[in-house]
Amino acid sequence: MNHAVRLGSLEQLGQSAPKANIHANFERWKALGNGKTAVVTGANAGLGFFATLGLAAAGAHVILACRNQSRAEKAMTAIRARVPEASLEFMQFDADSLLSAMALAAELRGRHLDVLVTNAGMIRTPATREGGLLGYERTMTTNVIGHARLIGELAEKFREDSLRLITLGSMSTLLMRTDPSNLRLEHDYTPYRAYVQSKAVLQSLGIGLDHRLRQLQWPARSVTVHPGYSISGLTPTIEGINEPDFAQRLKGRLQGSFAQGKHEGSVAIVEAALTQGLERCAPGVFFGPQLTSKGRISLARPAKVTRSKVLQDAAWELFVQANEGLDPFAL
């Protein structure tokens, strides 16, 4: 690729800049999803809900891969109230479970798949360390390991199709140091550190996979995004989906100069899934708000540690462990 785009405005990809929120971009994304199938994990609330709304408005058939069917059905009802022609489907997925990841992959293996958004995760992390899978703590299990197994089980899709994997990183990776030698957090556990390190590993995994796909010359892309500082208190009220109380609304007003709603943070997810001109981007492409915590979506620079060989090697080791020692993307 000549003059591969790495940083800056999406106008470098031949696109205008996206508008501030999901609803304002319906016209921009119109028909870009026609004929496409997207899977969004954790689609029943938060960023996942609004990403699903945007993809459905673009014409994609969206599979809501959620743990709770009742909540997924409420989300589908809310989406159809806003996009009557939305094509939606529920599939069971619990990011805490390798068996659930394997079961979802088995359902998807015979389906055409264009977009996979690995959004499900834990924000409210345990106050004290709770054991998870493979010797890691529970936050790493939920935010990374279940998705790692799902990706591994669907590896053939990456070889066969122009699939886009959208992995959710976090601006928190810029705010706290990640220790690649202590990813299990067997010491120095804090709830915030658990969240940051899980997001750093997921972000590093997504970036590293995009490089591997280029080296393998497979048609798929792994696009990593971060949604800025997106909070419920600045997000529109939607019954059963987002119902912030007075304290959350007050917090939103106080933080409005550097925060945004989830209907705004999710623009990065849909833009990464649908934007044209992605072939112009260098491997390791990363979408995020121009001002880090908020702002129009651009090609951003991920935290240095998530680009480092030491964390990418550690993240890939975890990926292989999640897939029982198998590396379906071996070089």
Side-chain angles (χ1 to χ4, degrees), residues 156-233:
E156 194 65 15
K157 295 283 187 188
F158 290 78
R159 188 183 68 81
E160 294 175 345
D161 301 320
S162 298
L163 170 65
R164 288 191 194 182
L165 170 68
I166 314 299
T167 302
L168 265 68
S170 171
M171 63 173 279
S172 67
T173 59
L174 297 165
L175 304 177
M176 175 179 271
R177 178 178 173 270
T178 291
D179 182 359
S181 68
N182 186 30
L183 294 182
R184 286 185 165 84
L185 285 181
E186 293 170 330
H187 55 85
D188 297 329
Y189 177 93
T190 69
Y192 188 60
R193 180 173 284 114
Y195 176 76
V196 172
Q197 294 210 157
S198 72
K199 282 298 183 178
V201 169
L202 194 59
Q203 190 167 297
S204 187
L205 188 63
I207 292 168
L209 179 56
D210 199 40
H211 284 278
R212 281 179 177 253
L213 292 169
R214 179 59 56 87
Q215 290 175 277
L216 291 166
Q217 298 184 327
W218 289 8
R221 292 298 300 264
S222 172
V223 185
T224 309
V225 309
H226 87 86
Y229 182 40
S230 301
I231 59 176
S232 295

Side-chain angles (χ1 to χ4, degrees), residues 306-321:
T306 65
R307 294 178 279 125
S308 70
K309 185 177 187 300
V310 63
L311 183 58
Q312 290 199 358
D313 285 350
W316 204 259
E317 180 181 349
L318 185 155
F319 174 80
V320 171
Q321 290 172 350

Side-chain angles (χ1 to χ4, degrees), residues 21-45:
N21 63 66
I22 285 289
H23 307 93
N25 283 293
F26 279 6
E27 189 62 30
R28 172 187 180 85
W29 296 324
K30 186 177 181 180
L32 289 181
N34 285 357
K36 294 183 177 180
T37 297
V39 176
V40 181
T41 68
N44 59 280

